């Protein structure tokens, strides 16, 4: 089966990545044009080692990020996950971005731990982000809302579908045509884990695609070829073909519209202050 999970097992170290072309079939984003995009990075807790980008995510508020469940991972015993907002060139240590350590990460209870539905997780950071022009939340869709047309995927994922892919330092984006579920089901006829809570996107010829390390990154509505003034989060990069950008094999995203209740429930639960109790005597 020519499946791959865009996940930890296929995420390669960025340390040797040089300046390369683009997200597969895409282009470099204008710096800070996607203020909802975040980078999940593994901080080795060692100043001599550059933090490693391994997944993307989307900012929902000053403390909340949504990403893929399979991005819940670790690489070293002493390291930790950081969320980086307002980033463009993740190799530039002097860039004016915001780094926050993860306070907690909530993975959907029905996620199986590999290629399967319910690939969604919420991250709460320990210290709120400072919102502004370069760091802005994205709007959630309506419950079970369906979308047609094109959508924009973005991230710092692989720019080549090779066995040892190349990774960019600067944020990339690609415009993908949305694929109706029934058509996607026919194209992915030989897999059992495609669910009606997934969203599919990608051209038939495979010329544009997300790839490894784009995981958890946002798929959003667009206005023409530019991001709409008020973009809506359609999906999160979940899985796709191996090698990336294979013809007739669209990328598969977690459909955010099918998890609105889950998102709102967990954000509300964590944001509610603990109620003080009084002794009964």
């Amino acid at each position: 089966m020519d499946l791959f999970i865009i996940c930890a097992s296929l995420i390669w170290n960025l340390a040797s990545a040089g300046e390369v072309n683009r997200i597969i079939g895409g282009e470099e984003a204008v710096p800070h044009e996607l203020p909802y995009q975040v980078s999940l990075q593994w901080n080795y807790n060692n100043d001599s080692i550059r933090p490693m980008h391994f997944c993307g995510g989307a900012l929902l508020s000053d403390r909340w990020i949504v990403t893929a469940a399979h991005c819940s991972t670790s690489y070293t015993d002493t390291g930790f996950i950081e969320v980086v907002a307002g980033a463009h060139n993740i190799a530039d240590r002097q860039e004016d971005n915001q780094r926050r350590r993860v306070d907690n990460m909530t993975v959907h209870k029905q996620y199986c731990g590999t290629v399967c539905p319910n690939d969604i997780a919420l991250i709460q950071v320990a210290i709120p982000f400072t919102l502004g022009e370069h760091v802005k939340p994205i709007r959630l869709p309506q419950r079970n809302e369906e979308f047609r047309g094109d959508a924009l995927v973005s991230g710092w994922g692989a720019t080549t579908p090779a066995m040892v892919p190349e990774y960019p330092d600067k944020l990339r984006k690609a415009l993908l045509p949305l694929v109706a579920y029934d058509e996607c089901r026919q194209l992915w006829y030989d897999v059992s884990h495609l669910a009606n809570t997934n969203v599919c996107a990608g051209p038939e010829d495979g010329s544009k695609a997300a790839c490894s390390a784009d995981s958890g990154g946002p798929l959003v509505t667009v206005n023409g070829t530019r991001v709409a003034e008020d973009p809506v989060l359609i999906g999160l990069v979940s899985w796709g073909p191996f090698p990336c950008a294979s013809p007739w094999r669209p990328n598969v995203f977690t459909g955010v519209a099918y998890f609105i209740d889950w998102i709102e429930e967990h954000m509300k639960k964590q944001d509610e202050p603990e109620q003080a109790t009084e002794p009964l005597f």
Side-chain angles (χ1 to χ4, degrees):
M1 186 179 299
D2 59 348
L3 271 180
F4 82 106
I5 315 173
I6 311 176
C7 69
S9 63
L10 291 175
I11 293 170
W12 300 77
N13 196 312
L14 294 178
S16 61
E19 185 67 24
V20 292
N21 293 330
R22 50 192 65 190
I23 191 171
I24 295 179
E27 61 186 356
E28 181 182 336
V30 176
H32 312 300
E33 77 165 306
L34 311 177
Y36 51 82
Q37 172 86 49
V38 301
S39 167
L40 303 189
Q41 298 186 13
W42 186 256
N43 188 314
Y44 292 92
N45 206 18
N46 185 332
D47 292 340
S48 65
I49 303 177
R50 172 180 144 192
M52 180 188 72
H53 166 86
F54 65 93
C55 271
L59 193 68
L60 299 183
S61 74
D62 63 349
R63 289 195 68 188
W64 287 98
I65 297 91
V66 64
T67 187
H70 72 257
C71 291
S72 178
T73 185
S74 62
Y75 294 89
T76 59
D77 292 337
T78 59
F80 53 89
I81 297 175
E82 285 183 317
V83 180
V84 184
H88 179 68
N89 185 346
I90 56 176
D92 183 0
R93 295 197 177 191
Q94 305 304 314
E95 184 179 62
D96 184 17
N97 54 44
Q98 300 182 44
R99 290 181 171 272
R100 299 291 187 268
R101 190 165 178 167
V102 171
D103 189 27
N104 65 70
M105 188 169 186
T106 303
V107 173
H108 199 288
K109 289 184 177 180
Q110 294 181 332
Y111 174 61
C112 72
T114 179
V115 183
C116 60
N118 306 305
D119 188 9
I120 187 170
L122 281 170
I123 291 175
Q124 188 178 35
V125 292
I127 300 174
F129 288 105
T130 300
L131 301 181
E133 184 178 355
H134 295 170
V135 179
K136 294 181 182 179
I138 191 168
R139 185 163 68 88
L140 288 169
Q142 300 295 316
R143 291 172 181 79
N144 302 320
E145 186 175 2
E146 296 184 358
F147 298 90
R148 298 179 180 178
D150 295 330
L152 192 79
V153 66
S154 52
W156 290 271
T159 58
T160 57
M163 289 296 293
V164 182
E166 297 177 324
Y167 291 92
D169 292 330
K170 298 177 182 178
L171 182 63
R172 309 284 167 172
K173 63 181 182 178
L175 195 64
L176 306 179
L178 293 170
V179 179
Y181 176 76
D182 288 345
E183 180 180 352
C184 189
R185 176 76 272 172
Q186 292 178 355
L187 294 172
W188 282 106
Y189 65 92
D190 53 350
V191 302
S192 60
H193 41 264
L194 181 67
N196 57 11
T197 55
N198 287 127
V199 170
C200 302
E204 294 178 352
D205 62 2
S207 58
K208 298 179 181 181
C211 199
S212 58
D214 283 321
S215 285
L219 180 74
V220 307
T221 56
V222 293
N223 181 12
T225 58
R226 301 286 295 178
V227 177
E229 289 185 5
D230 190 18
V232 177
L233 183 62
I234 297 175
L236 304 167
V237 178
S238 184
W239 55 273
F242 183 79
C244 303
S246 296
W248 307 104
R249 295 288 199 178
N251 285 145
V252 179
F253 302 78
T254 301
V256 176
Y258 301 103
F259 297 92
I260 297 301
D261 290 340
W262 181 85
I263 291 171
E264 292 181 346
E265 174 188 349
H266 284 79
M267 287 177 63
K268 180 179 179 181
K269 182 189 302 182
Q270 295 292 336
D271 284 338
E272 288 178 347
E274 294 185 6
Q275 294 184 350
T277 58
E278 297 182 357
L280 300 178
F281 52 88

